[in-house]
Amino acid sequence: MIEPSERPAFLNQISSDGLRTARIAAAWLWAEPRPPSRTNPPVHTYTWDPPGQPELSLDREILALVSVGIRPVGTIAVAPWWAAGDGAIVAPSRYPDLAAFAAAFAARYGPGGAFWARYPQYADLAVRDLELWTEANSANFWTRRADAAEYVKALRQVRAAVQAVQPRVRLLASIGWQGFSSYVSQLYALGARGLIDGIGFHPYAPHAPAIIGLVRQLRATLQSVGDGALPIDVTETGQPRSHDGSPSRRAGEGLVSDEARAGTLQLTGAALARSDCGIGNMLVYNAVGTETDREPIKEGWMGIYERATAKPNATGRAIAAASQHWRAAPSTGLVICGPGATAPADLLELGSTVTHTTPTCAVADIRYGGNPIEGATLTLRVADGRTSTFEIDAFGFGEVCIPDGPPVWEFDVWAEIPGIARSAVWRCPVTDGPCRIVAPPAAGGVPSSVASASQPVPAGGGAAGSWPHGAALAPCGHRLKARLRRITSTRAHLEASAICRTSAARSRYVVSVRRRRATRRVVLRTVWLRTNLARRFQARVRLRQGDRVYVTRAADRATGAPRLIASATVCRYRLTVGLKRVTTRRATVRARASCPARAARARYVVSVRRKGSRKRTILTSRVLRTNITRTFVVRVRLRTGDRLYLTRAADRRTGTGRLIASVRFRGR
C-alpha cells in the first residue's frame, strides 16, 4: 500500500519505464460501505471520492494512473461486510448487488463514462477490462471452498448488468494457478461459454519454463472445451525476492535473488509476447511491496520498485525491457500453444559462458538479459550420442560431465528451453585448451563435426587428476574464501565468497564440532563448493557453552590431511556495562563485549533520582549488542546528592528492570 502523497513519484517512474497498464482493486467496500435501501428495487448509494478519505477514493486512484499515461484494469473485489454469506465472501442473495456495483463502476470509468466528462484529456485511457474477483478457483478468496456453480451464477448476473450499461468493457474470469484445468472445465460444463470475454490468469510458478507451461496448459484446456480462441491476459504473476543476503539455489526451495527473479520474469514476458498463445497483457505483482515479513508467503518482498527510492530494482528494470517486446509486434513468433515447432531463427537467445572444471566436466553460466535464468536444461553430448543433462539453478549455473564410456577427444555443451530459447553451442576439448563457441543460438542444432569417439586421447589427457592447467585456468586460479559468519545456540552460519569468476573448481568443506572437554570432533555437514559461486549455508546443531565449531577443507593436496579454514568457540550472551565516569554535566556509559562470535540484544536505561525525590527520571534508553563494544555519553545537569541508575530493561526472571550500577553524585 502506497500512501497517496507518495504515489506521484512511483507512478511517474513506472510510466517513464514504459509500463502502461496497472491492475487495481475496484473496491466495492470503498464505494458502498453501507447496504442499499430495502425498497424494491433497492437504491444503491456509491461514494467514489469520500471527503477527507483520499486513501479510499476510486476517483483519485484512477486519476493518478491516467494522468501519467497508465491504463487501469479493474478487479471487482473487497466486498463490504454486509454482502458476506456462508461459504463465500459474497452471499448468493447479494449477487444482484455485486452486479449493480460492477455496472456502476463500468458506467463511470468505462469508455464514455461519467468520470471522463470531467477529465476528457484522459478519455483514451478508460477502463476496458473488468476481472471478476481474484482467483475464483482458490479457497483463499471464498470462505470455505471454491464453488464453480456459484461463480457461474455471479458471472451471469454481472455480465448482464455490465453489458446493459457498457458493452465495450470486457469481463474476465479470474483464474489462479492451483487446479485451474479442472475448474475451467467445470465452468464451461455449467454454462460459462458466452459469459466471459477472456480469462485473467495468475500463473505463479518457480521459473520461466514452468510459468509458460501453465499458460500452455490453460490454452489446451480452453481448446478441449471448444473455446480455444478465448483471449488470455496474465493479470498477475511474480515472485518474492531474497532480502537477507542468503538467496536459495532454486525458487522451489526458498526465496531467490532479485537478479534470478528478474531473469525469470523478463524471459517469461519476452516469450509470451512472441508466442502464439494469444496473451493480451502480462502484469507483474507487485509494483511496490511493504518490504516487511508481515504478509503471508513473503508478499511484502514482491515489489519491483524500491520503497525507499521509487527506483526500479533489477526485476523492475527487466520488466521494463520485456515491455518493449509487447510494443514491438514482432514479425516472427514462438510456437508454444499451437501445433508445429519454432524455427531456430525465432528462438530467444540465452547468454552463456562455459568453462572446464575437470578434463571431462564443464560448468556453464546461463543468462537472459544479463540476469541468471533458472529452469533451462544444460546438455552435454559426445559424438557417439551419449548425453548428460542438468537443470540450471537460480544462480544461472549448471555442471555436466561426460557419461561413462569410451574416451573421447572433445564434447559439446549448450543450454535450451525447448521451443523457447537456446544458447550458443560450446565445444570443449578433453585435453588442454578452453571451450569455444562453434554454433550460434540461431543455428538450431549441434554441429555434426564433433570428433569421433574412436579417436585416440593424447598422452597425459583425459585421465582423472591429470588436468594440465593450461591457459583456460590461468587468469585467477582456483581459490575460495570460506568463513564462519555467525554462530547461534542452534546452528552455525557459514559463507563462501567466490574470487575466481572465470573458471570453476570444486572443493569439499566439512563443518564439525568438538564438545567442551571432548577430544574428538563430530562432523555436522559436508558440502561441495565451487570457486566461482558465492554461497551461504547452515549447519544445524545444538551448541552449548564451550563447544568449538570448525570449518576444514578436506584432503589438502600438500599434506593429504584436512586443512583448517576457520574455527570459533561458543560463548554466552554477555555484556559488561557500567558507569565509567560521572561529572556535573554528563555521565559516560561503557559497554564491553565479551562474546565477539555471537550477537544478542538488550535494552539498557539510564535514569536519575534527584535529591529528596522518590521518583526516577529516564535520561536515555539504548539497545546494545553483546558482540559490540561501545561508549556513549548521557548529558544531564547533576547536583550534589543526585543518584544515577543504570538498569537492564525487562529482566527475564522478574519482568522488571534489573539494576546494573548506581552512583551517588557527591560533587566535584
Side-chain angles (χ1 to χ4, degrees):
M1 185 72 177
I2 307 173
E3 295 298 328
S5 60
E6 300 175 350
R7 288 178 185 171
F10 285 98
L11 294 178
N12 285 324
Q13 182 65 52
I14 291 170
S15 178
S16 66
D17 289 338
L19 307 180
R20 299 304 170 85
T21 306
R23 178 173 176 260
I24 66 167
W28 185 8
L29 172 63
W30 296 1
E32 195 177 15
R34 288 180 290 276
S37 68
R38 296 184 179 182
T39 59
N40 188 16
V43 177
H44 295 269
T45 302
Y46 301 110
T47 305
W48 306 107
D49 188 14
Q53 294 180 298
E55 70 278 3
L56 304 181
S57 171
L58 286 171
D59 272 2
R60 297 192 185 199
E61 187 161 0
I62 296 287
L63 181 60
L65 291 171
V66 299
S67 63
V68 294
I70 299 176
R71 182 190 302 278
V73 173
T75 301
I76 304 298
V78 194
W81 59 270
W82 51 264
D86 183 30
I89 295 175
V90 180
S93 61
R94 290 296 185 178
Y95 289 166
D97 300 316
L98 172 66
F101 169 69
F105 183 89
R108 183 171 183 80
Y109 301 112
F115 180 78
W116 310 112
R118 295 172 54 192
Y119 304 101
Q121 67 273 32
Y122 305 130
D124 291 342
L125 296 174
V127 173
R128 298 184 183 277
D129 298 316
L130 275 184
E131 186 174 351
L132 182 57
W133 224 242
T134 297
E135 298 176 10
N137 57 320
S138 169
N140 296 331
F141 293 94
W142 298 79
T143 304
R144 185 173 55 200
R145 62 183 179 86
D147 192 324
E150 291 299 325
Y151 190 61
V152 170
K153 292 178 183 178
L155 278 173
R156 183 171 285 111
Q157 297 190 42
V158 171
R159 171 79 174 186
V162 171
Q163 288 294 303
V165 298
Q166 190 54 269
R168 288 184 287 175
V169 170
R170 295 193 311 159
L171 183 62
L172 307 179
S174 183
I175 302 297
W177 76 98
Q178 56 277 66
F180 64 87
S181 184
S182 60
Y183 190 84
V184 170
S185 298
Q186 291 179 50
L187 293 181
Y188 274 83
L190 293 166
R193 185 191 305 277
L195 299 181
I196 55 177
D197 302 298
I199 287 182
F201 191 35
H202 301 179
Y204 284 97
H207 47 65
I211 296 173
I212 297 168
L214 291 177
V215 173
R216 180 191 291 119
Q217 184 180 350
L218 177 59
R219 178 57 68 193
T221 300
L222 292 173
Q223 291 169 351
S224 69
V225 296
D227 203 3
L230 187 74
I232 299 173
D233 282 13
V234 175
T235 54
E236 195 177 309
T237 190
Q239 285 180 330
R241 63 177 173 87
S242 173
H243 57 278
D244 59 0
S246 302
S248 295
R249 186 165 175 257
R250 298 190 182 278
E253 301 171 358
L255 304 186
V256 298
S257 67
D258 190 28
E259 291 74 16
R261 179 180 68 155
T264 289
L265 295 177
Q266 184 175 359
L267 178 61
T268 300
L272 293 180
R274 297 169 61 96
S275 75
D276 61 346
C277 295
I279 307 300
N281 276 316
M282 177 178 155
L283 306 181
V284 174
Y285 181 85
N286 188 2
V288 186
T290 62
E291 297 184 2
T292 67
D293 293 326
R294 294 194 298 266
E295 292 88 347
I297 61 173
K298 304 293 184 179
E299 283 190 15
W301 300 100
M302 294 182 75
I304 63 175
Y305 285 82
E306 298 293 344
R307 192 170 188 86
T309 63
K311 298 296 183 184
N313 52 31
T315 304
R317 293 189 294 271
I319 294 299
S323 69
Q324 298 176 6
H325 289 273
W326 294 89
R327 297 193 298 268
S331 57
T332 57
L334 302 175
V335 180
I336 295 176
C337 295
T342 303
D346 293 336
L347 294 172
L348 300 177
E349 182 175 345
L350 298 177
S352 60
T353 302
V354 177
T355 55
H356 283 98
T357 53
T358 68
T360 58
C361 297
V363 65
D365 180 7
I366 307 300
R367 296 180 175 263
Y368 183 78
N371 295 305
I373 184 70
E374 183 182 359
T377 300
L378 184 67
T379 302
L380 178 150
R381 196 182 81 174
V382 295
D384 60 7
R386 284 176 289 155
T387 61
S388 175
T389 61
F390 184 89
E391 185 177 301
I392 298 297
D393 62 23
F395 297 104
F397 282 93
E399 185 178 24
V400 284
C401 297
I402 297 175
D404 293 338
V408 296
W409 180 276
E410 55 192 0
F411 55 88
D412 286 348
V413 178
W414 71 94
E416 65 179 338
I417 302 174
I420 298 171
R422 189 183 181 90
S423 74
V425 179
W426 292 72
R427 181 159 297 164
C428 302
V430 171
T431 56
D432 191 3
C435 300
R436 67 189 189 280
I437 294 177
V438 294
V446 181
S448 59
S449 58
V450 178
S452 170
S454 62
Q455 289 182 289
V457 176
S466 61
W467 182 240
H469 299 287
L473 303 181
C476 63
H478 294 319
R479 294 183 295 169
L480 186 72
K481 289 183 177 179
R483 69 183 182 93
L484 282 165
R485 185 167 61 93
R486 187 163 61 97
I487 298 178
T488 68
S489 60
T490 58
R491 65 192 65 187
H493 298 255
L494 298 98
E495 179 180 57
S497 303
I499 59 174
C500 180
R501 295 290 183 182
T502 59
S503 59
R506 298 197 306 169
S507 296
R508 185 160 58 92
Y509 287 79
V510 178
V511 183
S512 58
V513 62
R514 180 174 57 80
R515 299 295 185 182
R516 183 183 181 187
R517 298 176 181 174
T519 58
R520 302 183 65 179
R521 302 179 191 175
V522 177
V523 174
L524 303 177
R525 182 174 180 181
T526 300
V527 61
W528 285 91
L529 301 177
R530 295 192 180 94
T531 56
N532 63 346
L533 180 61
R535 283 189 61 189
R536 286 185 177 181
F537 58 95
Q538 302 171 2
R540 300 192 178 189
V541 59
R542 179 72 63 179
L543 296 172
R544 296 184 294 271
Q545 171 77 10
D547 293 348
R548 189 168 186 84
V549 179
Y550 297 85
V551 180
T552 56
R553 190 174 71 192
D556 183 76
R557 292 183 180 180
T559 63
R563 179 183 177 186
L564 179 64
I565 302 298
S567 66
T569 300
V570 179
C571 55
R572 293 175 180 170
Y573 292 135
R574 290 187 299 172
L575 189 68
T576 303
V577 183
L579 290 165
K580 184 179 179 183
R581 185 183 179 193
V582 179
T583 68
T584 57
R585 293 181 178 272
R586 66 190 64 184
T588 303
V589 180
R590 181 174 177 82
R592 183 169 58 86
S594 59
C595 184
R598 305 175 68 189
R601 299 193 304 174
R603 182 175 294 277
Y604 289 81
V605 178
V606 180
S607 57
V608 61
R609 181 170 61 82
R610 299 296 183 180
K611 180 181 179 181
S613 174
R614 295 184 178 181
K615 294 184 177 180
R616 300 181 191 177
T617 302
I618 294 177
L619 302 177
T620 187
S621 175
R622 299 289 182 93
V623 175
L624 304 177
R625 295 180 181 273
T626 58
N627 63 344
I628 299 178
T629 297
R630 58 176 299 192
T631 300
F632 61 92
V633 175
V634 181
R635 297 185 181 276
V636 58
R637 187 173 292 279
L638 296 174
R639 296 184 295 272
T640 302
D642 293 347
R643 181 175 287 274
L644 281 175
Y645 295 88
L646 175 64
T647 58
R648 190 175 71 190
D651 183 76
R652 292 183 178 180
R653 291 180 299 173
T654 64
T656 60
R658 180 182 176 186
L659 180 64
I660 302 298
S662 69
V663 174
R664 183 179 180 183
F665 185 64
R666 302 181 182 277
R668 295 183 179 179

